[in-house]
PDB file of all heavy atoms in Angstrom:
ATOM      1  N   HIS C 152      53.492  -4.126 -19.301  1.00 90.00           N
ATOM      2  CA  HIS C 152      52.356  -4.877 -18.686  1.00 90.00           C
ATOM      3  C   HIS C 152      51.127  -4.069 -18.923  1.00 90.00           C
ATOM      4  O   HIS C 152      50.995  -2.856 -18.619  1.00 90.00           O
ATOM      5  CB  HIS C 152      52.573  -5.021 -17.195  1.00 90.00           C
ATOM      6  CG  HIS C 152      53.613  -6.076 -16.828  1.00 90.00           C
ATOM      7  ND1 HIS C 152      53.314  -6.995 -15.877  1.00 90.00           N
ATOM      8  CD2 HIS C 152      54.840  -6.314 -17.304  1.00 90.00           C
ATOM      9  CE1 HIS C 152      54.363  -7.833 -15.771  1.00 90.00           C
ATOM     10  NE2 HIS C 152      55.276  -7.433 -16.668  1.00 90.00           N
ATOM     11  N   LEU C 153      50.105  -4.736 -19.460  1.00 88.00           N
ATOM     12  CA  LEU C 153      48.744  -4.163 -19.600  1.00 88.00           C
ATOM     13  C   LEU C 153      47.921  -4.887 -18.546  1.00 88.00           C
ATOM     14  O   LEU C 153      47.753  -6.120 -18.640  1.00 88.00           O
ATOM     15  CB  LEU C 153      48.192  -4.323 -21.012  1.00 88.00           C
ATOM     16  CG  LEU C 153      48.926  -3.558 -22.082  1.00 88.00           C
ATOM     17  CD1 LEU C 153      48.312  -3.894 -23.425  1.00 88.00           C
ATOM     18  CD2 LEU C 153      48.818  -2.073 -21.808  1.00 88.00           C
ATOM     19  N   THR C 154      47.262  -4.118 -17.667  1.00 86.00           N
ATOM     20  CA  THR C 154      46.510  -4.715 -16.561  1.00 86.00           C
ATOM     21  C   THR C 154      45.072  -4.178 -16.637  1.00 86.00           C
ATOM     22  O   THR C 154      44.843  -3.019 -17.000  1.00 86.00           O
ATOM     23  CB  THR C 154      47.125  -4.292 -15.212  1.00 86.00           C
ATOM     24  OG1 THR C 154      48.584  -4.673 -15.268  1.00 86.00           O
ATOM     25  CG2 THR C 154      46.472  -4.915 -14.093  1.00 86.00           C
ATOM     26  N   ALA C 155      44.137  -5.037 -16.254  1.00 81.00           N
ATOM     27  CA  ALA C 155      42.684  -4.671 -16.172  1.00 81.00           C
ATOM     28  C   ALA C 155      42.527  -3.714 -14.993  1.00 81.00           C
ATOM     29  O   ALA C 155      43.034  -3.902 -13.933  1.00 81.00           O
ATOM     30  CB  ALA C 155      41.818  -5.846 -16.102  1.00 81.00           C
ATOM     31  N   SER C 156      41.756  -2.641 -15.269  1.00 77.00           N
ATOM     32  CA  SER C 156      41.363  -1.701 -14.235  1.00 77.00           C
ATOM     33  C   SER C 156      39.896  -1.942 -13.839  1.00 77.00           C
ATOM     34  O   SER C 156      39.187  -2.391 -14.632  1.00 77.00           O
ATOM     35  CB  SER C 156      41.549  -0.255 -14.794  1.00 77.00           C
ATOM     36  OG  SER C 156      41.017   0.651 -13.858  1.00 77.00           O
ATOM     37  N   SER C 157      39.585  -1.553 -12.670  1.00 72.00           N
ATOM     38  CA  SER C 157      38.200  -1.647 -12.197  1.00 72.00           C
ATOM     39  C   SER C 157      37.292  -0.569 -12.848  1.00 72.00           C
ATOM     40  O   SER C 157      36.102  -0.604 -12.795  1.00 72.00           O
ATOM     41  CB  SER C 157      38.047  -1.575 -10.695  1.00 72.00           C
ATOM     42  OG  SER C 157      38.620  -0.331 -10.277  1.00 72.00           O
ATOM     43  N   GLN C 158      37.999   0.458 -13.436  1.00 68.00           N
ATOM     44  CA  GLN C 158      37.237   1.558 -14.200  1.00 68.00           C
ATOM     45  C   GLN C 158      37.018   1.152 -15.630  1.00 68.00           C
ATOM     46  O   GLN C 158      38.022   1.079 -16.326  1.00 68.00           O
ATOM     47  CB  GLN C 158      38.004   2.853 -14.063  1.00 68.00           C
ATOM     48  CG  GLN C 158      38.181   3.405 -12.692  1.00 68.00           C
ATOM     49  CD  GLN C 158      38.951   4.668 -12.703  1.00 68.00           C
ATOM     50  OE1 GLN C 158      39.341   5.172 -13.731  1.00 68.00           O
ATOM     51  NE2 GLN C 158      39.207   5.227 -11.465  1.00 68.00           N
ATOM     52  N   ASN C 159      35.869   0.841 -16.056  1.00 62.00           N
ATOM     53  CA  ASN C 159      35.619   0.610 -17.460  1.00 62.00           C
ATOM     54  C   ASN C 159      35.733   1.823 -18.300  1.00 62.00           C
ATOM     55  O   ASN C 159      35.556   2.932 -17.827  1.00 62.00           O
ATOM     56  CB  ASN C 159      34.173  -0.006 -17.617  1.00 62.00           C
ATOM     57  CG  ASN C 159      34.109  -1.487 -17.094  1.00 62.00           C
ATOM     58  OD1 ASN C 159      35.233  -2.137 -17.041  1.00 62.00           O
ATOM     59  ND2 ASN C 159      32.990  -1.908 -16.753  1.00 62.00           N
ATOM     60  N   ASN C 160      36.055   1.703 -19.576  1.00 58.00           N
ATOM     61  CA  ASN C 160      36.272   2.766 -20.483  1.00 58.00           C
ATOM     62  C   ASN C 160      37.277   3.751 -20.091  1.00 58.00           C
ATOM     63  O   ASN C 160      37.072   4.980 -20.248  1.00 58.00           O
ATOM     64  CB  ASN C 160      34.907   3.458 -20.844  1.00 58.00           C
ATOM     65  CG  ASN C 160      34.048   2.500 -21.593  1.00 58.00           C
ATOM     66  OD1 ASN C 160      34.467   1.676 -22.322  1.00 58.00           O
ATOM     67  ND2 ASN C 160      32.689   2.659 -21.413  1.00 58.00           N
ATOM     68  N   HIS C 161      38.333   3.350 -19.488  1.00 60.00           N
ATOM     69  CA  HIS C 161      39.433   4.214 -19.104  1.00 60.00           C
ATOM     70  C   HIS C 161      40.276   4.458 -20.328  1.00 60.00           C
ATOM     71  O   HIS C 161      40.977   3.525 -20.774  1.00 60.00           O
ATOM     72  CB  HIS C 161      40.229   3.643 -17.991  1.00 60.00           C
ATOM     73  CG  HIS C 161      41.316   4.486 -17.463  1.00 60.00           C
ATOM     74  ND1 HIS C 161      41.080   5.652 -16.693  1.00 60.00           N
ATOM     75  CD2 HIS C 161      42.656   4.464 -17.677  1.00 60.00           C
ATOM     76  CE1 HIS C 161      42.234   6.189 -16.443  1.00 60.00           C
ATOM     77  NE2 HIS C 161      43.206   5.516 -17.024  1.00 60.00           N
ATOM     78  N   ARG C 162      40.293   5.594 -20.925  1.00 63.00           N
ATOM     79  CA  ARG C 162      40.965   5.846 -22.227  1.00 63.00           C
ATOM     80  C   ARG C 162      42.515   5.781 -22.067  1.00 63.00           C
ATOM     81  O   ARG C 162      43.079   6.383 -21.184  1.00 63.00           O
ATOM     82  CB  ARG C 162      40.637   7.229 -22.736  1.00 63.00           C
ATOM     83  CG  ARG C 162      41.116   7.475 -24.138  1.00 63.00           C
ATOM     84  CD  ARG C 162      40.748   8.823 -24.700  1.00 63.00           C
ATOM     85  NE  ARG C 162      39.430   9.246 -24.354  1.00 63.00           N
ATOM     86  CZ  ARG C 162      39.127  10.448 -23.884  1.00 63.00           C
ATOM     87  NH1 ARG C 162      40.078  11.359 -23.734  1.00 63.00           N
ATOM     88  NH2 ARG C 162      37.921  10.782 -23.576  1.00 63.00           N
ATOM     89  N   ARG C 163      43.119   5.014 -22.974  1.00 73.00           N
ATOM     90  CA  ARG C 163      44.567   4.920 -23.025  1.00 73.00           C
ATOM     91  C   ARG C 163      45.081   6.092 -23.913  1.00 73.00           C
ATOM     92  O   ARG C 163      44.717   6.094 -25.089  1.00 73.00           O
ATOM     93  CB  ARG C 163      45.051   3.601 -23.609  1.00 73.00           C
ATOM     94  CG  ARG C 163      44.718   2.457 -22.673  1.00 73.00           C
ATOM     95  CD  ARG C 163      45.143   1.146 -23.233  1.00 73.00           C
ATOM     96  NE  ARG C 163      44.365   0.844 -24.474  1.00 73.00           N
ATOM     97  CZ  ARG C 163      43.258   0.071 -24.494  1.00 73.00           C
ATOM     98  NH1 ARG C 163      42.801  -0.396 -23.398  1.00 73.00           N
ATOM     99  NH2 ARG C 163      42.702  -0.179 -25.554  1.00 73.00           N
ATOM    100  N   ASN C 164      45.768   6.998 -23.399  1.00 82.00           N
ATOM    101  CA  ASN C 164      46.236   8.177 -24.123  1.00 82.00           C
ATOM    102  C   ASN C 164      47.678   8.012 -24.599  1.00 82.00           C
ATOM    103  O   ASN C 164      48.507   7.691 -23.793  1.00 82.00           O
ATOM    104  CB  ASN C 164      46.125   9.347 -23.100  1.00 82.00           C
ATOM    105  CG  ASN C 164      46.382  10.648 -23.852  1.00 82.00           C
ATOM    106  OD1 ASN C 164      47.297  10.772 -24.563  1.00 82.00           O
ATOM    107  ND2 ASN C 164      45.590  11.645 -23.556  1.00 82.00           N
ATOM    108  N   PRO C 165      47.912   8.195 -25.889  1.00 87.00           N
ATOM    109  CA  PRO C 165      49.295   8.033 -26.401  1.00 87.00           C
ATOM    110  C   PRO C 165      50.368   8.938 -25.687  1.00 87.00           C
ATOM    111  O   PRO C 165      51.416   8.469 -25.489  1.00 87.00           O
ATOM    112  CB  PRO C 165      49.157   8.401 -27.905  1.00 87.00           C
ATOM    113  CG  PRO C 165      47.735   8.268 -28.235  1.00 87.00           C
ATOM    114  CD  PRO C 165      47.002   8.509 -26.936  1.00 87.00           C
ATOM    115  N   SER C 166      49.944  10.137 -25.379  1.00 89.00           N
ATOM    116  CA  SER C 166      50.946  11.009 -24.755  1.00 89.00           C
ATOM    117  C   SER C 166      51.315  10.518 -23.372  1.00 89.00           C
ATOM    118  O   SER C 166      52.384  10.673 -22.845  1.00 89.00           O
ATOM    119  CB  SER C 166      50.452  12.451 -24.686  1.00 89.00           C
ATOM    120  OG  SER C 166      49.264  12.519 -23.975  1.00 89.00           O
ATOM    121  N   ASP C 167      50.316   9.865 -22.664  1.00 88.00           N
ATOM    122  CA  ASP C 167      50.585   9.238 -21.356  1.00 88.00           C
ATOM    123  C   ASP C 167      51.534   8.094 -21.458  1.00 88.00           C
ATOM    124  O   ASP C 167      52.480   7.955 -20.642  1.00 88.00           O
ATOM    125  CB  ASP C 167      49.295   8.802 -20.670  1.00 88.00           C
ATOM    126  CG  ASP C 167      48.373   9.986 -20.262  1.00 88.00           C
ATOM    127  OD1 ASP C 167      48.880  11.137 -20.128  1.00 88.00           O
ATOM    128  OD2 ASP C 167      47.220   9.710 -20.032  1.00 88.00           O
ATOM    129  N   LEU C 168      51.294   7.272 -22.429  1.00 90.00           N
ATOM    130  CA  LEU C 168      52.240   6.121 -22.603  1.00 90.00           C
ATOM    131  C   LEU C 168      53.588   6.612 -23.038  1.00 90.00           C
ATOM    132  O   LEU C 168      54.617   6.104 -22.568  1.00 90.00           O
ATOM    133  CB  LEU C 168      51.692   5.198 -23.699  1.00 90.00           C
ATOM    134  CG  LEU C 168      52.626   3.971 -24.010  1.00 90.00           C
ATOM    135  CD1 LEU C 168      52.927   3.177 -22.730  1.00 90.00           C
ATOM    136  CD2 LEU C 168      51.945   3.090 -25.094  1.00 90.00           C
ATOM    137  N   GLN C 169      53.673   7.663 -23.876  1.00 93.00           N
ATOM    138  CA  GLN C 169      54.930   8.310 -24.302  1.00 93.00           C
ATOM    139  C   GLN C 169      55.709   8.833 -23.026  1.00 93.00           C
ATOM    140  O   GLN C 169      56.871   8.515 -22.864  1.00 93.00           O
ATOM    141  CB  GLN C 169      54.726   9.371 -25.274  1.00 93.00           C
ATOM    142  CG  GLN C 169      56.005  10.088 -25.693  1.00 93.00           C
ATOM    143  CD  GLN C 169      56.872   9.137 -26.553  1.00 93.00           C
ATOM    144  OE1 GLN C 169      56.440   8.504 -27.483  1.00 93.00           O
ATOM    145  NE2 GLN C 169      58.167   9.178 -26.255  1.00 93.00           N
ATOM    146  N   ALA C 170      54.993   9.502 -22.161  1.00 93.00           N
ATOM    147  CA  ALA C 170      55.652  10.035 -20.922  1.00 93.00           C
ATOM    148  C   ALA C 170      56.057   8.876 -20.013  1.00 93.00           C
ATOM    149  O   ALA C 170      57.230   8.946 -19.483  1.00 93.00           O
ATOM    150  CB  ALA C 170      54.624  10.964 -20.160  1.00 93.00           C
ATOM    151  N   PHE C 171      55.267   7.867 -19.874  1.00 93.00           N
ATOM    152  CA  PHE C 171      55.660   6.682 -19.132  1.00 93.00           C
ATOM    153  C   PHE C 171      56.909   6.014 -19.686  1.00 93.00           C
ATOM    154  O   PHE C 171      57.839   5.633 -18.947  1.00 93.00           O
ATOM    155  CB  PHE C 171      54.489   5.642 -19.072  1.00 93.00           C
ATOM    156  CG  PHE C 171      54.612   4.502 -18.174  1.00 93.00           C
ATOM    157  CD1 PHE C 171      55.157   4.667 -16.916  1.00 93.00           C
ATOM    158  CD2 PHE C 171      54.183   3.264 -18.584  1.00 93.00           C
ATOM    159  CE1 PHE C 171      55.271   3.598 -16.022  1.00 93.00           C
ATOM    160  CE2 PHE C 171      54.274   2.178 -17.726  1.00 93.00           C
ATOM    161  CZ  PHE C 171      54.884   2.331 -16.484  1.00 93.00           C
ATOM    162  N   LEU C 172      56.991   5.833 -20.968  1.00 94.00           N
ATOM    163  CA  LEU C 172      58.141   5.251 -21.651  1.00 94.00           C
ATOM    164  C   LEU C 172      59.438   6.110 -21.501  1.00 94.00           C
ATOM    165  O   LEU C 172      60.479   5.634 -21.349  1.00 94.00           O
ATOM    166  CB  LEU C 172      57.877   4.996 -23.134  1.00 94.00           C
ATOM    167  CG  LEU C 172      56.900   3.850 -23.395  1.00 94.00           C
ATOM    168  CD1 LEU C 172      56.525   3.812 -24.911  1.00 94.00           C
ATOM    169  CD2 LEU C 172      57.388   2.490 -22.780  1.00 94.00           C
ATOM    170  N   ASP C 173      59.203   7.518 -21.527  1.00 95.00           N
ATOM    171  CA  ASP C 173      60.327   8.351 -21.365  1.00 95.00           C
ATOM    172  C   ASP C 173      60.905   8.254 -19.992  1.00 95.00           C
ATOM    173  O   ASP C 173      62.158   8.185 -19.832  1.00 95.00           O
ATOM    174  CB  ASP C 173      59.914   9.805 -21.620  1.00 95.00           C
ATOM    175  CG  ASP C 173      59.653  10.127 -23.111  1.00 95.00           C
ATOM    176  OD1 ASP C 173      60.094   9.372 -23.938  1.00 95.00           O
ATOM    177  OD2 ASP C 173      58.985  11.166 -23.363  1.00 95.00           O
ATOM    178  N   LYS C 174      60.027   8.140 -18.947  1.00 95.00           N
ATOM    179  CA  LYS C 174      60.515   7.946 -17.570  1.00 95.00           C
ATOM    180  C   LYS C 174      61.246   6.619 -17.493  1.00 95.00           C
ATOM    181  O   LYS C 174      62.301   6.500 -16.818  1.00 95.00           O
ATOM    182  CB  LYS C 174      59.345   7.945 -16.634  1.00 95.00           C
ATOM    183  CG  LYS C 174      58.780   9.367 -16.377  1.00 95.00           C
ATOM    184  CD  LYS C 174      57.616   9.270 -15.442  1.00 95.00           C
ATOM    185  CE  LYS C 174      56.911  10.546 -15.329  1.00 95.00           C
ATOM    186  NZ  LYS C 174      55.668  10.488 -14.520  1.00 95.00           N
ATOM    187  N   ALA C 175      60.659   5.590 -18.019  1.00 95.00           N
ATOM    188  CA  ALA C 175      61.288   4.254 -17.978  1.00 95.00           C
ATOM    189  C   ALA C 175      62.577   4.222 -18.778  1.00 95.00           C
ATOM    190  O   ALA C 175      63.546   3.624 -18.255  1.00 95.00           O
ATOM    191  CB  ALA C 175      60.377   3.171 -18.526  1.00 95.00           C
ATOM    192  N   LYS C 176      62.652   4.909 -19.850  1.00 94.00           N
ATOM    193  CA  LYS C 176      63.859   4.953 -20.650  1.00 94.00           C
ATOM    194  C   LYS C 176      64.956   5.581 -19.887  1.00 94.00           C
ATOM    195  O   LYS C 176      66.178   5.119 -19.865  1.00 94.00           O
ATOM    196  CB  LYS C 176      63.603   5.688 -21.982  1.00 94.00           C
ATOM    197  CG  LYS C 176      64.728   5.557 -22.977  1.00 94.00           C
ATOM    198  CD  LYS C 176      64.275   6.219 -24.291  1.00 94.00           C
ATOM    199  CE  LYS C 176      65.345   6.048 -25.321  1.00 94.00           C
ATOM    200  NZ  LYS C 176      64.980   6.647 -26.641  1.00 94.00           N
ATOM    201  N   GLN C 177      64.676   6.635 -19.196  1.00 95.00           N
ATOM    202  CA  GLN C 177      65.677   7.335 -18.343  1.00 95.00           C
ATOM    203  C   GLN C 177      65.981   6.585 -17.125  1.00 95.00           C
ATOM    204  O   GLN C 177      67.165   6.380 -16.722  1.00 95.00           O
ATOM    205  CB  GLN C 177      65.180   8.754 -17.981  1.00 95.00           C
ATOM    206  CG  GLN C 177      66.121   9.616 -17.251  1.00 95.00           C
ATOM    207  CD  GLN C 177      65.650  10.980 -17.003  1.00 95.00           C
ATOM    208  OE1 GLN C 177      64.457  11.148 -16.749  1.00 95.00           O
ATOM    209  NE2 GLN C 177      66.510  11.945 -17.068  1.00 95.00           N
ATOM    210  N   GLY C 178      64.991   6.103 -16.352  1.00 95.00           N
ATOM    211  CA  GLY C 178      65.196   5.462 -15.104  1.00 95.00           C
ATOM    212  C   GLY C 178      65.851   4.092 -15.220  1.00 95.00           C
ATOM    213  O   GLY C 178      66.579   3.651 -14.381  1.00 95.00           O
TER     214      GLY C 178
END
């Protein structure tokens, strides 16, 4: 899910997505 944030120009960081996917993969 990609959701709009109230903070404009919030950078999407590849390492953050990787960490999120790693947690989801395990959980």
Side-chain angles (χ1 to χ4, degrees):
H152 285 227
L153 292 176
T154 306
S156 169
S157 60
Q158 297 179 0
N159 286 336
N160 292 330
H161 183 73
R162 188 180 321 135
R163 292 178 296 268
N164 186 315
S166 61
D167 291 343
L168 180 55
Q169 180 68 45
F171 187 42
L172 291 173
D173 286 342
K174 286 179 190 176
K176 191 173 182 178
Q177 184 178 34

